[in-house]
């Protein structure tokens, strides 16, 4: 065994002398690592674009960057920056190395959440390939609580709203069996009573922080697209109910979008649609300009393409939504006054929260930073919300870990989007089938409102009965209690 060991040692020594000549990486020192004969190349990109800085925001999270180089490489992080973790610190060339197929290396940078009392923290991450160096500035900072005028920022408004409820099937209701100029008939045509101050007071007393007020406008516009005075007067009266109760109020354009609506993501007809949309929002913005920061505007509801597709839109559908989202922001800002600072909400195509919807959505440019929110709707799991009418009333479901997993995956997509772009997300609609046992709905309510806490700025608004519209009593006490855990 002794002679055999000597023989193996000599063999390994001879092999080690040959290794540098074939470009194999040695970990001993830089002289043993692969360097090309020509120029050293190094690029670090994110989503195909060169990256020089990363801002993780309050909640941190993970970012993938793509490293390409034809030399050995390593990454260093300054001492004390233990809040930033890298998946890889060194490695072989990703291209140009003999007998190696070109393939980029994906580096995951993960920032820990920033504590509420922590100030901005930053560090320089150094990427080195042989003698070529590239640095990326990584920053994590608390969002501004207010702009230079003192107007509340979008992230503060979203945290303050936290959990809310919709005034549903009321000002948004439509039909062809009544005179649209009859305000009472229009407001009650879908079976709901007239909105009252007492209901909003009861919503606030129960612990909710905001009310989303959906409004359909097209029934109340003349041939010149002018909103009739009685209707906008009634809308303003209801908005005041919410604000008088101390609630945040989200005012929107509702069933003007959706199936058979005029406001659609139709790129072929985008010019006339855009002009009518601009006219409508100019009127709304001017009427409500005097109101303070607790009133938010939502540009449109569940906008679909010209074919009313709830799945993938026809060609140009995503582009049309992005055009109209930008038109909404520009139109409101152009009215000046309080609207120059007002927090504005834009929605994805169809209000969907899938990865595809987010990937195809472009956050509008805004003249003022920190005053935009993105809204999606979530009725998952459908077997719990009865979105597709699939629940058997004789076999009502209970809340299960499987349901939690389904919903968690969708919420994770929202969380990642919110943190990637440092923008708050509003779940403007969600629901559980009303016939399900109260204690089971309560589990759902707690899960959807608390899952994102400490991970991203997400507020949640329920669509459905919670506070009775005539008695003002809590209809499902356990659901309300669970839902309010998110407050």
């Amino acid at each position: 065994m002794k002679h055999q060991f000597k023989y193996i040692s000599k063999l390994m020594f001879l092999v080690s002398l040959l290794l540098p000549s074939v470009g194999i990486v040695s970990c001993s020192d830089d002289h043993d690592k692969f360097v090309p004969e020509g120029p050293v190349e190094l690029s670090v990109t994110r989503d195909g674009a060169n990256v020089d800085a990363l801002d993780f925001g309050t909640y941190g999270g993970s970012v993938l960057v793509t490293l390409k180089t034809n030399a050995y490489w390593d990454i260093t992080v300054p001492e004390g920056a233990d809040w930033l973790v890298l998946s890889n610190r060194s490695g072989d060339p990703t291209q140009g190395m003999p007998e190696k197929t070109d393939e980029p290396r994906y580096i995951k940078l993960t920032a820990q959440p920033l504590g509420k009392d922590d100030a901005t923290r930053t560090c320089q991450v150094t990427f080195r390939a042989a003698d070529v160096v590239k640095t990326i500035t990584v920053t994590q900072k608390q969002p501004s609580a207010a702009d230079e005028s003192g107007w509340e920022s979008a992230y503060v408004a979203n945290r303050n709203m936290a959990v809310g409820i919709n005034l549903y099937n009321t000002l948004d209701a439509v039909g062809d069996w009544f005179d649209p100029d009859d305000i009472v008939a229009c407001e009650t045509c879908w079976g709901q009573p007239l909105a009252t101050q007492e209901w909003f007071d009861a919503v606030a007393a129960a612990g909710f922080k905001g009310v989303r007020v959906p409004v359909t406008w097209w029934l109340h516009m003349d041939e010149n697209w002018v909103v009739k005075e009685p209707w906008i007067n009634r809308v303003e009266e209801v908005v005041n109910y919410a604000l008088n109760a101390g609630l945040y109020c989200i005012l929107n354009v509702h069933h003007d979008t959706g199936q058979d609506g005029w406001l659609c993501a139709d790129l072929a007809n985008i010019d006339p649609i855009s002009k009518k949309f601009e006219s409508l929002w100019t009127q709304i913005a001017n009427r409500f300009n005097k109101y303070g920061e607790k009133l938010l505007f939502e540009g449109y509801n569940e906008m679909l393409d010209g074919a009313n597709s709830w799945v993938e839109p026809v060609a140009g559908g995503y582009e049309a939504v992005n055009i109209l989202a930008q038109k909404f922001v520009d139109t409101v800002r152009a009215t000046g006054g309080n609207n120059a600072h007002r927090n504005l909400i834009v929605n994805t195509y169809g209000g969907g929260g899938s990865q595809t919807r987010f990937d195809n959505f472009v956050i509008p440019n805004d003249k003022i930073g920190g005053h935009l929110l993105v809204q999606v709707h979530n009725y998952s799991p459908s077997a719990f919300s009865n979105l597709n009418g699939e629940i058997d009333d004789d076999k009502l479901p209970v809340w299960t870990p499987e349901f939690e997993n389904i919903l968690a995956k969708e919420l994770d997509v929202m969380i990642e989007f919110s943190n990637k772009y440092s923008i708050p997300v509003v779940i403007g609609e969600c629901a559980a089938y009303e016939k399900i046992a109260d204690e089971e709905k309560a589990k759902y309510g707690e899960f959807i409102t608390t899952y994102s806490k400490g991970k991203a700025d997400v507020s949640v608004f329920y669509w459905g009965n919670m506070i009775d519209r005539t008695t003002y009593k809590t209809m499902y006490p356990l659901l309300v209690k669970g839902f309010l855990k998110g407050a």
Side-chain angles (χ1 to χ4, degrees), residues 380-381 384 397-412 440 443-444 447 451:
S380 290
F384 199 80
V398 297
W399 187 248
T400 65
E402 288 74 20
F403 284 155
E404 284 192 1
N405 290 335
I406 291 171
L407 185 51
K409 288 179 181 178
E410 298 191 12
L411 294 175
D412 283 338
E440 299 302 325
K443 296 172 187 176
Y444 158 80
F447 187 85
Y451 181 83

Side-chain angles (χ1 to χ4, degrees), residues 81-150:
D82 53 354
W83 52 273
L84 184 66
V85 179
L86 275 67
S87 60
N88 295 285
R89 290 296 186 93
S90 62
D92 296 340
T94 65
Q95 54 190 19
M97 187 175 178
E99 299 180 359
K100 181 177 177 66
T101 302
D102 290 355
E103 54 182 43
R105 178 62 64 89
Y106 298 101
I107 310 298
K108 185 163 111 173
L109 295 85
T110 302
Q112 302 301 316
L114 186 66
K116 290 183 178 180
D117 299 324
D118 293 336
T120 298
R121 57 191 180 192
T122 185
C123 71
Q124 297 279 339
V125 178
T126 303
F127 292 75
R128 181 171 67 104
D131 58 348
V132 175
V133 173
K134 177 180 176 62
T135 60
I136 293 179
T137 302
V138 179
T139 305
Q140 207 172 9
K141 59 186 178 182
Q142 298 284 3
S144 299
D147 61 27
E148 71 283 353
S149 71

Side-chain angles (χ1 to χ4, degrees), residues 192-304:
Q192 296 295 327
L194 292 171
T196 63
Q197 182 66 62
E198 289 79 4
W199 183 79
F200 284 89
D201 291 342
V203 168
F208 292 96
K209 305 302 180 183
V211 172
R212 179 171 176 254
V213 178
V215 179
T216 299
W217 301 86
W218 67 267
L219 275 177
H220 312 282
M221 298 167 70
D222 66 20
E223 64 276 7
N224 296 314
W225 310 337
V226 175
V227 180
K228 297 177 182 178
E229 194 69 14
W231 182 248
I232 202 167
N233 286 344
R234 176 56 177 163
V235 172
E236 184 172 16
E237 184 176 28
V238 173
V239 166
N240 277 316
Y241 291 161
L243 300 176
N244 291 341
L247 296 162
Y248 280 82
C249 179
I250 297 175
L251 176 64
N252 84 346
V253 170
H254 205 75
H255 286 307
D256 298 77
T257 65
Q259 191 166 354
D260 301 322
W262 65 270
L263 182 53
C264 58
D266 182 0
L267 192 60
N269 296 292
I270 195 65
D271 287 342
I273 292 171
S274 183
K275 289 177 182 177
K276 186 173 181 179
F277 187 53
E278 180 180 5
S279 173
L280 175 58
W281 264 113
T282 298
Q283 295 174 72
I284 299 171
N286 282 328
R287 182 58 174 258
F288 291 92
N289 200 328
K290 63 181 179 288
Y291 288 92
E293 57 195 8
K294 282 198 167 184
L295 176 62
L296 294 82
F297 292 161
E298 175 193 330
Y300 48 87
N301 182 46
E302 297 168 341
M303 191 187 300
L304 304 178

Side-chain angles (χ1 to χ4, degrees), residues 25 43 50 78 93 207 223 258 260 273 322 342 345 459 461:
V25 176
S43 70
N50 289 324
E223 64 276 7
D260 301 322
I273 292 171
N322 294 330
R342 191 171 308 285
I345 302 172
S459 62
F461 285 72

